[in-house]
Amino acid sequence: MMRRPLIPFLAAASLLVPFAPALAQNSEPPQAWLFGAWTGGTFPAPSQITAATCLAQPTVIFTRDIVLRSTLTEATYEQRLVATVRATETGFEFRFEPAAPAPAEGGGGGLLGLSGGGQPGAVGFGCESADLLHVERHGENEITFPGCEDFPNPLVRCPAS
């Protein structure tokens, strides 16, 4: 059995060490600037809003794996699990996992006997598909959902403080 010297292995390993911090810094996905709470969309966002007021009832919340949205007919947020995110020229295109059918309930789905999205388990954003969301960036703190009729107005980021 031929023994190989340990020195070349150690030299090769030391070449990788300087690049490790750079790889760790780029671990955030490109859409990370969206993460957080946004208000507006359904109605025009107020021009002056405090962090407390905005965070008390945001319209949309982006996380790494889930996008949550409020509806007028539900007390809780609708959650959509992100399948893929594709960068576009003006923002991002989110594709969501297909929604599971909602369990059968007597007397209607949500508040006032209405279902949040018209069809059980398929709550989307009013785009061409419940499993799709186009996000267009209009600066650091404003986005729109073009072609999504549930969100005809721009959304603004909730202030941090």
Side-chain angles (χ1 to χ4, degrees), residues 3-158:
R3 293 189 142 198
R4 296 191 179 188
L6 190 56
I7 304 284
F9 173 75
L10 293 175
S14 68
L15 290 175
L16 297 176
V17 172
F19 298 108
L23 292 174
Q25 290 173 359
N26 293 330
S27 65
E28 288 294 322
Q31 78 277 12
W33 63 269
L34 275 173
F35 294 168
W38 297 78
T39 191
T42 307
F43 299 104
S47 58
Q48 298 292 321
I49 189 166
T50 65
T53 303
C54 189
L55 294 172
Q57 188 68 43
T59 308
V60 177
I61 302 170
F62 287 92
T63 70
R64 180 181 296 272
D65 300 320
I66 296 174
V67 179
L68 298 97
R69 70 156 290 188
S70 65
T71 63
L72 295 175
T73 59
E74 293 291 329
T76 58
Y77 283 87
E78 299 292 337
Q79 299 182 37
R80 295 306 309 270
L81 184 62
V82 175
T84 62
V85 180
R86 182 177 66 89
T88 65
E89 203 171 290
T90 58
F92 294 94
E93 178 184 273
F94 285 78
R95 292 203 178 269
F96 301 109
E97 294 291 337
E105 295 180 27
L111 187 67
L112 304 175
L114 301 172
S115 176
Q119 113 189 52
V123 174
F125 294 82
C127 306
E128 67 266 23
S129 165
D131 297 331
L132 186 66
L133 173 64
H134 303 283
V135 178
E136 194 170 280
R137 186 176 185 174
H138 296 278
E140 193 61 31
N141 295 312
E142 185 177 304
I143 58 174
T144 58
F145 298 160
C148 301
E149 62 186 31
D150 289 1
F151 292 85
N153 297 293
L155 292 100
V156 295
R157 184 186 308 273
C158 288

